[in-house]
Coordinates of all heavy atoms in Angstrom, one line a residue:
M10 N 2.5 2.6 -8.5 CA 2.0 3.3 -7.3 C 0.6 3.7 -7.5 O 0.2 4.5 -8.3 CB 2.9 4.5 -7.0 CG 2.4 5.4 -6.0 SD 2.5 4.8 -4.3 CE 2.3 6.4 -3.5
I11 N -0.3 3.0 -6.7 CA -1.7 3.3 -6.8 C -2.2 4.3 -5.8 O -3.4 4.6 -5.8 CB -2.5 1.9 -6.7 CG1 -2.3 1.2 -5.4 CG2 -2.2 1.0 -7.9 CD1 -3.2 0.0 -5.2
Y12 N -1.4 4.7 -4.9 CA -1.8 5.6 -3.9 C -1.4 7.0 -4.2 O -0.6 7.3 -5.1 CB -1.2 5.3 -2.5 CG -1.4 3.9 -2.1 CD1 -0.4 3.1 -1.5 CD2 -2.7 3.3 -2.2 CE1 -0.6 1.8 -1.1 CE2 -2.9 2.0 -1.8 CZ -1.8 1.2 -1.2 OH -2.1 0.0 -0.8
R13 N -1.9 8.0 -3.5 CA -1.6 9.4 -3.7 C -0.9 9.9 -2.4 O -1.3 9.6 -1.3 CB -2.9 10.1 -3.9 CG -2.6 11.5 -4.4 CD -4.0 12.1 -4.7 NE -3.8 13.5 -5.2 CZ -4.1 13.9 -6.4 NH1 -4.6 13.1 -7.3 NH2 -3.8 15.1 -6.8
Y14 N 0.2 10.6 -2.6 CA 0.9 11.3 -1.5 C 0.1 12.4 -0.9 O -0.7 13.0 -1.7 CB 2.3 11.8 -2.0 CG 3.3 10.7 -2.2 CD1 3.5 10.2 -3.5 CD2 4.0 10.1 -1.2 CE1 4.4 9.2 -3.8 CE2 4.9 9.1 -1.5 CZ 5.1 8.7 -2.8 OH 6.0 7.6 -3.0
P15 N 0.2 12.7 0.3 CA 1.1 12.1 1.3 C 0.5 10.8 1.9 O -0.7 10.6 1.9 CB 1.2 13.1 2.4 CG -0.1 13.9 2.3 CD -0.5 13.9 0.9
I16 N 1.4 9.9 2.2 CA 1.0 8.6 2.8 C 1.2 8.7 4.3 O 2.3 9.0 4.8 CB 1.9 7.5 2.2 CG1 1.9 7.4 0.7 CG2 1.5 6.1 2.8 CD1 0.7 7.0 0.1
Y17 N 0.1 8.3 5.0 CA 0.2 8.3 6.5 C 0.0 6.9 7.0 O -1.0 6.3 6.7 CB -1.0 9.1 7.1 CG -1.0 10.6 6.6 CD1 -1.9 10.9 5.6 CD2 -0.2 11.5 7.2 CE1 -2.0 12.3 5.2 CE2 -0.3 12.9 6.8 CZ -1.1 13.2 5.8 OH -1.2 14.5 5.3
L18 N 1.0 6.4 7.7 CA 0.9 5.0 8.2 C 0.8 5.1 9.7 O 1.2 6.0 10.4 CB 2.2 4.2 7.9 CG 2.4 4.0 6.4 CD1 3.7 3.3 6.1 CD2 1.2 3.3 5.8
E19 N 0.2 4.0 10.3 CA -0.1 3.9 11.7 C 1.1 3.6 12.5 O 1.0 3.6 13.8 CB -1.2 2.9 11.9 CG -2.6 3.4 11.5 CD -3.7 2.4 11.3 OE1 -3.4 1.2 11.6 OE2 -4.8 2.7 10.9
N20 N 2.2 3.4 11.9 CA 3.5 3.2 12.6 C 4.2 4.6 12.8 O 5.4 4.7 13.1 CB 4.4 2.2 11.9 CG 4.8 2.7 10.5 OD1 4.5 3.8 10.1 ND2 5.5 1.8 9.8
S21 N 3.4 5.7 12.5 CA 3.9 7.0 12.6 C 4.7 7.5 11.5 O 5.2 8.6 11.5 CB 4.7 7.3 13.9 OG 3.8 7.1 15.0
M22 N 4.9 6.7 10.5 CA 5.7 7.1 9.3 C 4.8 7.9 8.4 O 3.6 7.5 8.1 CB 6.2 5.9 8.5 CG 7.4 5.2 9.2 SD 8.0 3.8 8.2 CE 9.7 4.0 8.5
T23 N 5.3 9.0 7.9 CA 4.5 9.9 6.9 C 5.5 10.1 5.7 O 6.6 10.4 5.9 CB 4.2 11.2 7.5 OG1 3.3 11.0 8.6 CG2 3.4 12.1 6.5
F24 N 4.9 9.9 4.5 CA 5.7 10.2 3.3 C 5.0 11.2 2.5 O 3.9 11.0 2.0 CB 5.8 8.9 2.5 CG 6.4 7.7 3.3 CD1 5.7 6.8 4.0 CD2 7.8 7.6 3.3 CE1 6.2 5.8 4.7 CE2 8.4 6.5 4.0 CZ 7.6 5.6 4.7
T25 N 5.6 12.4 2.4 CA 5.0 13.5 1.6 C 5.5 13.4 0.2 O 5.0 14.0 -0.7 CB 5.4 14.8 2.2 OG1 6.9 14.9 2.3 CG2 4.8 15.0 3.6
E26 N 6.6 12.6 -0.1 CA 7.1 12.3 -1.4 C 7.8 11.0 -1.4 O 8.0 10.4 -0.3 CB 8.0 13.4 -1.8 CG 9.2 13.6 -0.8 CD 10.1 14.8 -1.2 OE1 9.5 15.8 -1.6 OE2 11.3 14.7 -1.0
P27 N 8.1 10.5 -2.6 CA 8.7 9.1 -2.6 C 10.0 9.1 -1.8 O 10.8 10.0 -1.9 CB 9.0 8.9 -4.1 CG 8.1 9.8 -4.8 CD 7.9 11.0 -3.9
P28 N 10.2 8.0 -1.0 CA 11.4 7.9 -0.2 C 12.6 7.7 -1.2 O 12.4 7.2 -2.3 CB 11.2 6.6 0.6 CG 9.8 6.3 0.5 CD 9.2 7.0 -0.7
T29 N 13.8 8.2 -0.8 CA 14.9 8.2 -1.6 C 15.7 6.8 -1.5 O 16.5 6.5 -2.3 CB 15.9 9.3 -1.3 OG1 16.2 9.3 0.1 CG2 15.2 10.7 -1.7
E30 N 15.4 6.1 -0.4 CA 16.1 4.8 -0.2 C 15.0 3.8 0.0 O 13.9 4.1 0.5 CB 16.9 4.9 1.1 CG 18.0 5.9 1.1 CD 19.2 5.5 0.3 OE1 19.4 4.2 0.2 OE2 19.9 6.3 -0.3
P31 N 15.3 2.5 -0.3 CA 14.3 1.4 0.0 C 14.1 1.3 1.5 O 15.0 1.6 2.3 CB 15.1 0.1 -0.5 CG 16.1 0.6 -1.5 CD 16.5 2.0 -1.0
I32 N 12.9 1.0 1.9 CA 12.5 0.9 3.3 C 11.7 -0.4 3.5 O 10.9 -0.7 2.6 CB 11.6 2.1 3.7 CG1 12.3 3.5 3.5 CG2 11.3 2.0 5.2 CD1 11.4 4.6 3.7
H33 N 12.0 -1.0 4.6 CA 11.1 -2.2 5.0 C 10.7 -2.0 6.4 O 11.5 -1.6 7.2 CB 11.9 -3.5 4.7 CG 12.2 -3.7 3.3 ND1 13.4 -3.2 2.7 CD2 11.5 -4.2 2.3 CE1 13.4 -3.5 1.4 NE2 12.3 -4.1 1.1
F34 N 9.5 -2.4 6.7 CA 9.0 -2.3 8.1 C 7.9 -3.3 8.3 O 7.5 -4.0 7.4 CB 8.5 -0.9 8.4 CG 7.7 -0.2 7.3 CD1 6.3 -0.5 7.2 CD2 8.2 0.7 6.4 CE1 5.6 0.1 6.2 CE2 7.5 1.3 5.4 CZ 6.1 1.0 5.3
Q35 N 7.5 -3.4 9.6 CA 6.4 -4.4 9.9 C 5.1 -4.0 9.2 O 4.8 -2.8 9.0 CB 6.2 -4.4 11.4 CG 7.3 -4.8 12.2 CD 7.1 -6.2 12.8 OE1 6.0 -6.4 13.3 NE2 8.1 -7.0 12.8
K36 N 4.3 -5.0 8.9 CA 3.1 -4.7 8.2 C 2.2 -3.7 8.9 O 2.0 -3.7 10.1 CB 2.3 -6.1 8.1 CG 1.1 -6.0 7.2 CD 0.7 -7.4 6.7 CE 0.2 -8.3 7.9 NZ -0.2 -9.6 7.4
C37 N 1.7 -2.7 8.1 CA 1.1 -1.6 8.7 C 0.0 -1.0 7.7 O 0.1 -1.2 6.5 CB 2.2 -0.5 8.8 SG 1.7 0.9 9.8
N38 N -1.0 -0.4 8.4 CA -2.1 0.2 7.6 C -2.0 1.7 7.7 O -1.2 2.2 8.5 CB -3.4 -0.3 8.2 CG -3.6 -1.8 8.2 OD1 -3.1 -2.5 7.3 ND2 -4.2 -2.3 9.2
G39 N -2.9 2.4 7.0 CA -2.9 3.8 7.1 C -3.8 4.5 6.1 O -4.8 3.8 5.7
Y40 N -3.5 5.7 5.7 CA -4.3 6.4 4.7 C -3.5 7.1 3.7 O -2.3 7.5 4.0 CB -5.2 7.4 5.4 CG -6.3 6.8 6.2 CD1 -6.1 6.5 7.6 CD2 -7.5 6.5 5.7 CE1 -7.1 5.8 8.3 CE2 -8.5 5.9 6.4 CZ -8.3 5.6 7.7 OH -9.3 4.9 8.5
D41 N -4.0 7.3 2.5 CA -3.2 8.1 1.5 C -3.8 9.5 1.4 O -4.7 9.9 2.2 CB -3.2 7.4 0.2 CG -4.4 7.6 -0.7 OD1 -5.4 8.1 -0.3 OD2 -4.3 7.3 -1.9
G42 N -3.3 10.3 0.5 CA -3.7 11.7 0.4 C -5.1 11.9 0.0 O -5.6 13.0 0.1
N43 N -5.8 10.9 -0.5 CA -7.2 11.0 -0.9 C -8.1 10.4 0.3 O -9.2 10.1 0.0 CB -7.5 10.2 -2.2 CG -7.0 10.9 -3.4 OD1 -6.9 12.2 -3.4 ND2 -6.7 10.2 -4.4
N44 N -7.5 10.2 1.4 CA -8.2 9.6 2.6 C -8.6 8.2 2.3 O -9.7 7.7 2.8 CB -9.3 10.5 3.0 CG -9.6 10.4 4.5 OD1 -8.6 10.2 5.3 ND2 -10.8 10.6 4.9
L45 N -7.9 7.5 1.4 CA -8.2 6.2 1.0 C -7.5 5.2 2.0 O -6.3 5.4 2.3 CB -7.7 5.9 -0.4 CG -8.0 4.5 -1.0 CD1 -8.9 4.7 -2.2 CD2 -6.7 3.8 -1.3
R46 N -8.2 4.3 2.6 CA -7.6 3.3 3.5 C -6.6 2.4 2.8 O -7.0 1.8 1.8 CB -8.7 2.5 4.1 CG -8.3 1.5 5.1 CD -7.9 2.1 6.4 NE -7.7 1.2 7.5 CZ -6.9 1.4 8.5 NH1 -6.2 2.6 8.6 NH2 -6.7 0.5 9.5
I47 N -5.4 2.3 3.3 CA -4.4 1.5 2.7 C -3.9 0.5 3.7 O -3.8 0.7 4.9 CB -3.2 2.3 2.1 CG1 -2.4 3.0 3.2 CG2 -3.7 3.3 1.1 CD1 -1.2 3.8 2.7
T48 N -3.7 -0.8 3.2 CA -3.5 -1.9 4.2 C -2.3 -2.8 3.8 O -2.0 -2.9 2.6 CB -4.8 -2.8 4.2 OG1 -5.1 -3.2 2.9 CG2 -6.0 -2.0 4.7
N49 N -1.8 -3.4 4.8 CA -0.8 -4.4 4.7 C 0.5 -3.9 3.9 O 1.1 -4.6 3.2 CB -1.3 -5.6 3.9 CG -2.5 -6.3 4.7 OD1 -2.5 -6.3 5.9 ND2 -3.5 -6.8 3.9
I50 N 0.9 -2.7 4.2 CA 2.0 -2.1 3.6 C 3.3 -2.5 4.4 O 3.3 -2.5 5.6 CB 1.9 -0.5 3.6 CG1 0.6 -0.1 3.0 CG2 3.1 0.1 2.8 CD1 0.3 -0.5 1.7
V51 N 4.3 -2.9 3.7 CA 5.5 -3.4 4.4 C 6.8 -2.7 4.0 O 7.9 -3.1 4.4 CB 5.7 -4.9 4.2 CG1 4.6 -5.7 4.9 CG2 5.8 -5.3 2.7
G52 N 6.7 -1.7 3.1 CA 7.9 -1.0 2.7 C 7.8 -0.2 1.4 O 6.7 0.0 0.9
Y53 N 8.9 0.2 0.9 CA 9.0 0.9 -0.3 C 10.3 0.5 -1.1 O 11.3 0.3 -0.4 CB 9.1 2.4 -0.1 CG 9.1 3.3 -1.3 CD1 7.9 3.8 -1.8 CD2 10.3 3.5 -1.9 CE1 8.0 4.5 -3.0 CE2 10.4 4.3 -3.1 CZ 9.2 4.8 -3.6 OH 9.2 5.6 -4.8
E54 N 10.2 0.3 -2.4 CA 11.3 -0.2 -3.1 C 11.0 0.0 -4.6 O 9.9 -0.2 -5.1 CB 11.4 -1.8 -2.9 CG 12.7 -2.4 -3.1 CD 12.7 -3.9 -2.7 OE1 13.0 -4.1 -1.6 OE2 12.3 -4.7 -3.6
N55 N 12.0 0.4 -5.4 CA 11.9 0.5 -6.8 C 10.7 1.3 -7.3 O 10.0 1.0 -8.2 CB 11.8 -0.9 -7.5 CG 13.1 -1.7 -7.2 OD1 14.2 -1.2 -7.2 ND2 12.9 -3.0 -7.0
G56 N 10.5 2.5 -6.6 CA 9.5 3.4 -7.0 C 8.0 3.1 -6.6 O 7.1 3.7 -7.1
D57 N 7.8 2.1 -5.8 CA 6.5 1.8 -5.3 C 6.5 1.3 -3.9 O 7.5 0.7 -3.5 CB 5.9 0.7 -6.3 CG 4.4 0.7 -6.3 OD1 3.7 1.4 -5.4 OD2 3.8 0.0 -7.1
F58 N 5.4 1.5 -3.2 CA 5.2 0.9 -1.9 C 5.0 -0.6 -2.1 O 4.6 -1.1 -3.1 CB 4.1 1.5 -1.1 CG 4.5 2.8 -0.5 CD1 4.4 4.0 -1.2 CD2 5.1 2.9 0.8 CE1 4.8 5.2 -0.7 CE2 5.5 4.1 1.3 CZ 5.3 5.2 0.6
L59 N 5.3 -1.4 -1.0 CA 5.2 -2.8 -1.1 C 4.0 -3.2 -0.2 O 3.9 -2.7 0.9 CB 6.5 -3.5 -0.5 CG 7.8 -3.2 -1.3 CD1 9.0 -3.7 -0.6 CD2 7.7 -3.7 -2.8
K60 N 3.3 -4.2 -0.6 CA 2.1 -4.6 0.1 C 2.0 -6.1 0.1 O 2.3 -6.7 -1.0 CB 0.9 -4.0 -0.7 CG -0.5 -4.3 -0.3 CD -1.5 -3.4 -1.0 CE -2.9 -3.9 -1.0 NZ -3.6 -3.9 0.3
V61 N 1.6 -6.7 1.2 CA 1.4 -8.2 1.3 C 0.0 -8.6 0.9 O -0.9 -8.0 1.4 CB 1.8 -8.6 2.7 CG1 1.5 -10.1 2.8 CG2 3.3 -8.3 3.0
C62 N -0.1 -9.6 0.1 CA -1.4 -10.2 -0.2 C -1.6 -11.3 0.8 O -0.8 -12.3 0.9 CB -1.4 -10.8 -1.6 SG -2.8 -11.8 -2.0
P63 N -2.7 -11.3 1.6 CA -2.9 -12.3 2.6 C -3.4 -13.6 2.0 O -3.5 -14.6 2.7 CB -4.0 -11.7 3.5 CG -4.7 -10.7 2.6 CD -3.7 -10.2 1.6
H64 N -3.6 -13.7 0.7 CA -4.1 -15.0 0.1 C -2.9 -15.8 -0.4 O -2.7 -16.9 -0.1 CB -5.0 -14.7 -1.0 CG -5.7 -15.9 -1.6 ND1 -5.4 -16.4 -2.8 CD2 -6.6 -16.8 -1.0 CE1 -6.1 -17.5 -3.0 NE2 -6.8 -17.8 -1.9
C65 N -2.0 -15.1 -1.1 CA -0.8 -15.9 -1.7 C 0.5 -15.6 -0.8 O 1.5 -16.2 -1.1 CB -0.6 -15.5 -3.1 SG -0.1 -13.8 -3.5
N66 N 0.4 -14.6 0.1 CA 1.5 -14.3 1.0 C 2.7 -13.7 0.3 O 3.7 -13.6 0.8 CB 1.9 -15.5 1.8 CG 1.0 -15.7 3.0 OD1 0.7 -14.8 3.7 ND2 0.7 -17.0 3.2
R67 N 2.5 -13.2 -1.0 CA 3.6 -12.6 -1.7 C 3.6 -11.1 -1.3 O 2.6 -10.5 -1.0 CB 3.4 -12.7 -3.2 CG 3.6 -14.1 -3.7 CD 3.5 -14.1 -5.2 NE 2.2 -13.7 -5.7 CZ 1.9 -13.4 -6.9 NH1 2.8 -13.5 -7.9 NH2 0.6 -13.1 -7.3
T68 N 4.8 -10.5 -1.3 CA 5.0 -9.1 -1.1 C 5.2 -8.5 -2.5 O 6.1 -8.9 -3.3 CB 6.3 -8.8 -0.3 OG1 6.1 -9.4 1.0 CG2 6.5 -7.3 -0.2
L69 N 4.3 -7.6 -2.9 CA 4.2 -7.1 -4.3 C 4.1 -5.6 -4.3 O 3.6 -5.0 -3.3 CB 3.0 -7.7 -5.0 CG 2.9 -9.2 -5.1 CD1 1.5 -9.6 -5.5 CD2 3.9 -9.7 -6.1
P70 N 4.5 -5.0 -5.4 CA 4.3 -3.5 -5.5 C 2.8 -3.2 -5.5 O 2.0 -4.1 -5.9 CB 5.0 -3.2 -6.8 CG 5.2 -4.4 -7.5 CD 5.2 -5.5 -6.5
T71 N 2.4 -2.0 -5.1 CA 1.0 -1.7 -5.0 C 0.4 -1.8 -6.4 O -0.9 -2.0 -6.5 CB 0.8 -0.3 -4.4 OG1 1.3 0.7 -5.3 CG2 1.4 -0.1 -3.1
E72 N 1.1 -1.7 -7.4 CA 0.6 -1.8 -8.8 C 0.0 -3.2 -9.1 O -0.8 -3.4 -10.0 CB 1.6 -1.5 -9.9 CG 2.0 0.0 -9.9 CD 1.0 0.9 -10.5 OE1 0.1 0.3 -11.3 OE2 1.0 2.1 -10.3
A73 N 0.3 -4.2 -8.2 CA -0.3 -5.5 -8.4 C -1.6 -5.6 -7.7 O -2.2 -6.7 -7.7 CB 0.7 -6.5 -7.8
F74 N -2.1 -4.5 -7.2 CA -3.4 -4.5 -6.5 C -4.3 -3.4 -7.1 O -3.8 -2.5 -7.8 CB -3.2 -4.1 -5.0 CG -2.4 -5.2 -4.2 CD1 -1.0 -5.1 -4.3 CD2 -3.0 -6.1 -3.5 CE1 -0.3 -6.1 -3.6 CE2 -2.3 -7.0 -2.8 CZ -0.9 -7.0 -2.8
R75 N -5.6 -3.5 -6.9 CA -6.5 -2.5 -7.3 C -7.1 -1.7 -6.1 O -7.0 -2.1 -5.0 CB -7.6 -3.1 -8.2 CG -7.1 -3.6 -9.5 CD -8.2 -3.7 -10.5 NE -7.7 -4.2 -11.8 CZ -7.8 -5.5 -12.2 NH1 -8.4 -6.4 -11.4 NH2 -7.3 -5.8 -13.3
L76 N -7.7 -0.6 -6.4 CA -8.4 0.2 -5.4 C -9.9 -0.1 -5.5 O -10.5 -0.4 -6.5 CB -8.2 1.7 -5.6 CG -6.7 2.1 -5.6 CD1 -6.6 3.6 -5.9 CD2 -6.1 1.8 -4.3
R77 N -10.5 0.0 -4.3 CA -12.0 0.0 -4.3 C -12.5 1.4 -3.9 O -12.7 1.8 -2.8 CB -12.5 -1.0 -3.2 CG -11.9 -2.4 -3.4 CD -12.3 -3.3 -2.2 NE -13.8 -3.5 -2.3 CZ -14.4 -4.2 -1.3 NH1 -13.8 -4.6 -0.2 NH2 -15.7 -4.4 -1.4
T78 N -12.5 2.2 -5.0 CA -12.7 3.7 -4.8 C -14.1 4.0 -4.3 O -14.4 5.0 -3.6 CB -12.5 4.5 -6.0 OG1 -13.2 3.9 -7.1 CG2 -11.0 4.5 -6.4
T79 N -15.1 3.0 -4.5 CA -16.5 3.3 -4.1 C -16.5 3.2 -2.6 O -17.4 3.8 -2.0 CB -17.4 2.2 -4.7 OG1 -16.9 0.9 -4.4 CG2 -17.6 2.4 -6.1
I80 N -15.6 2.5 -1.9 CA -15.6 2.4 -0.5 C -14.3 2.9 0.1 O -14.0 2.7 1.3 CB -16.0 1.0 0.1 CG1 -15.0 0.0 -0.5 CG2 -17.4 0.6 -0.3 CD1 -15.1 -1.4 0.3
D81 N -13.5 3.6 -0.7 CA -12.3 4.3 -0.3 C -11.4 3.4 0.5 O -10.9 3.7 1.6 CB -12.7 5.5 0.7 CG -13.2 6.7 -0.2 OD1 -12.9 6.7 -1.4 OD2 -14.0 7.5 0.4
R82 N -11.0 2.3 -0.1 CA -9.9 1.5 0.4 C -9.3 0.7 -0.7 O -9.8 0.5 -1.8 CB -10.4 0.5 1.5 CG -11.5 -0.4 1.2 CD -11.6 -1.5 2.2 NE -10.3 -2.2 2.3 CZ -9.9 -2.9 3.4 NH1 -10.7 -2.9 4.5 NH2 -8.8 -3.5 3.4
D83 N -8.1 0.1 -0.4 CA -7.5 -0.7 -1.4 C -8.0 -2.2 -1.3 O -8.6 -2.5 -0.3 CB -5.9 -0.7 -1.2 CG -5.4 -1.1 0.1 OD1 -6.2 -1.6 1.0 OD2 -4.2 -0.8 0.4
Q84 N -7.8 -2.9 -2.3 CA -8.2 -4.3 -2.3 C -7.2 -5.1 -1.5 O -6.0 -4.9 -1.6 CB -8.4 -4.9 -3.7 CG -9.7 -4.3 -4.3 CD -9.9 -4.9 -5.7 OE1 -9.0 -5.4 -6.3 NE2 -11.2 -4.8 -6.1
S85 N -7.6 -6.1 -0.7 CA -6.7 -6.9 0.1 C -5.9 -7.9 -0.8 O -4.7 -7.9 -0.7 CB -7.5 -7.6 1.1 OG -6.7 -8.2 2.1
W86 N -6.6 -8.6 -1.6 CA -6.0 -9.6 -2.4 C -5.4 -9.0 -3.7 O -5.9 -8.0 -4.2 CB -6.9 -10.7 -2.8 CG -7.4 -11.6 -1.7 CD1 -7.2 -11.5 -0.4 CD2 -8.2 -12.8 -1.9 NE1 -7.8 -12.5 0.3 CE2 -8.4 -13.3 -0.6 CE3 -8.7 -13.5 -3.0 CZ2 -9.1 -14.5 -0.4 CZ3 -9.4 -14.7 -2.8 CH2 -9.6 -15.2 -1.5
C87 N -4.3 -9.5 -4.1 CA -3.6 -9.1 -5.3 C -4.5 -9.4 -6.6 O -5.4 -10.2 -6.5 CB -2.2 -9.6 -5.5 SG -2.1 -11.4 -5.9
I88 N -4.2 -8.8 -7.7 CA -5.0 -9.0 -8.9 C -4.9 -10.4 -9.3 O -6.0 -11.0 -9.7 CB -4.4 -8.1 -10.0 CG1 -4.7 -6.6 -9.7 CG2 -5.0 -8.4 -11.4 CD1 -4.0 -5.6 -10.6
D89 N -3.8 -11.1 -9.2 CA -3.7 -12.5 -9.6 C -4.7 -13.4 -8.7 O -5.4 -14.3 -9.2 CB -2.3 -13.1 -9.3 CG -1.3 -12.6 -10.4 OD1 -1.8 -12.0 -11.4 OD2 -0.1 -12.7 -10.2
C90 N -4.7 -13.2 -7.4 CA -5.6 -14.0 -6.5 C -7.0 -13.7 -6.8 O -7.9 -14.6 -6.7 CB -5.2 -13.7 -5.1 SG -3.7 -14.4 -4.6
R91 N -7.4 -12.4 -7.1 CA -8.8 -12.1 -7.4 C -9.2 -12.7 -8.7 O -10.3 -13.0 -8.8 CB -8.9 -10.6 -7.4 CG -8.7 -9.9 -6.0 CD -9.0 -8.5 -6.1 NE -10.4 -8.2 -6.4 CZ -11.5 -8.3 -5.6 NH1 -11.3 -8.5 -4.3 NH2 -12.7 -8.0 -6.0
Ligands
LIG3 ZN1 -2.2 -12.8 -4.0

């Protein structure tokens, strides 16, 4: 999990702590607790949010991505694609 709670998504979902059940939803953007822009989130499973890489189209845990803290957003492509 590379984000910080609370997680605010543009589908009106807010997570102040880890969800207790797996969740899946339509691809959505938002912000984390550090006001970092988070993108392409599609759910939560096994202790991490799930994010889609638009290059390889895989759905991966956020740990498969890095943050661009200098511009306050997550990286779009997964670490493998980059
Ligand atoms: Zn990728």
Side-chain angles (χ1 to χ4, degrees):
M10 164 75 164
I11 59 174
Y12 307 139
R13 191 173 181 118
Y14 288 96
I16 306 291
Y17 303 100
L18 295 179
E19 288 164 0
N20 62 7
S21 299
M22 288 181 142
T23 298
F24 300 93
T25 55
E26 57 187 35
T29 52
E30 299 283 330
I32 305 173
H33 296 92
F34 44 80
Q35 297 252 319
K36 191 160 65 177
C37 191
N38 304 323
Y40 289 90
D41 84 346
N43 286 333
N44 212 29
L45 183 120
R46 181 74 170 153
I47 65 179
T48 58
N49 300 327
I50 310 303
V51 294
Y53 182 93
E54 203 176 271
N55 298 323
D57 202 349
F58 281 88
L59 301 173
K60 176 171 161 68
V61 173
C62 170
H64 188 250
C65 64
N66 281 316
R67 289 183 298 168
T68 297
L69 300 166
T71 67
E72 289 288 339
F74 297 80
R75 293 205 177 95
L76 300 177
R77 303 177 69 189
T78 52
T79 50
I80 57 168
D81 286 335
R82 60 163 299 155
D83 58 12
Q84 285 183 338
S85 189
W86 289 11
C87 70
I88 291 169
D89 288 349
C90 287
R91 292 185 61 84

